[in-house]
Amino acid sequence: MHIAYSALQNTNNQTAQAKPTTVDQLSIRFKAYQNACNKYSKEITAIQKYIPGWVPAYPVASPHPFSKGEGL
């Protein structure tokens, strides 16, 4: 029983320690997304021939893997 309680406590501590995303982090993430799109523009164009309007998904990182109820 102690192991289960400890596991739950560790999960709660990790959630509490998650830091909100700052404007600087968002800016860096967006620039990295733009650079990746520019680097792979030929591949993106090739994909768009078969899937018109397709664009690479913008990476959105949540502070904790279960923050949206996933995996519960």
Side-chain angles (χ1 to χ4, degrees):
M1 188 65 167
H2 176 70
I3 295 171
Y5 178 77
S6 297
L8 290 174
Q9 290 297 75
N10 289 339
T11 301
N12 290 336
N13 289 341
Q14 290 173 355
T15 303
Q17 292 174 355
K19 297 178 182 177
T21 305
T22 65
V23 174
D24 289 336
Q25 289 172 335
L26 292 174
S27 176
I28 292 168
R29 195 177 296 161
F30 183 70
K31 288 177 184 176
Y33 175 78
Q34 284 182 319
N35 288 336
C37 289
N38 290 335
K39 180 177 179 179
Y40 295 104
S41 63
K42 291 179 184 177
E43 290 83 353
I44 292 169
T45 302
I47 292 169
Q48 288 175 341
K49 288 180 183 178
Y50 299 99
I51 307 171
W54 180 86
V55 292
Y58 182 76
V60 179
S62 61
H64 190 270
F66 300 121
S67 63
K68 295 183 181 179
E70 298 168 359
L72 296 177

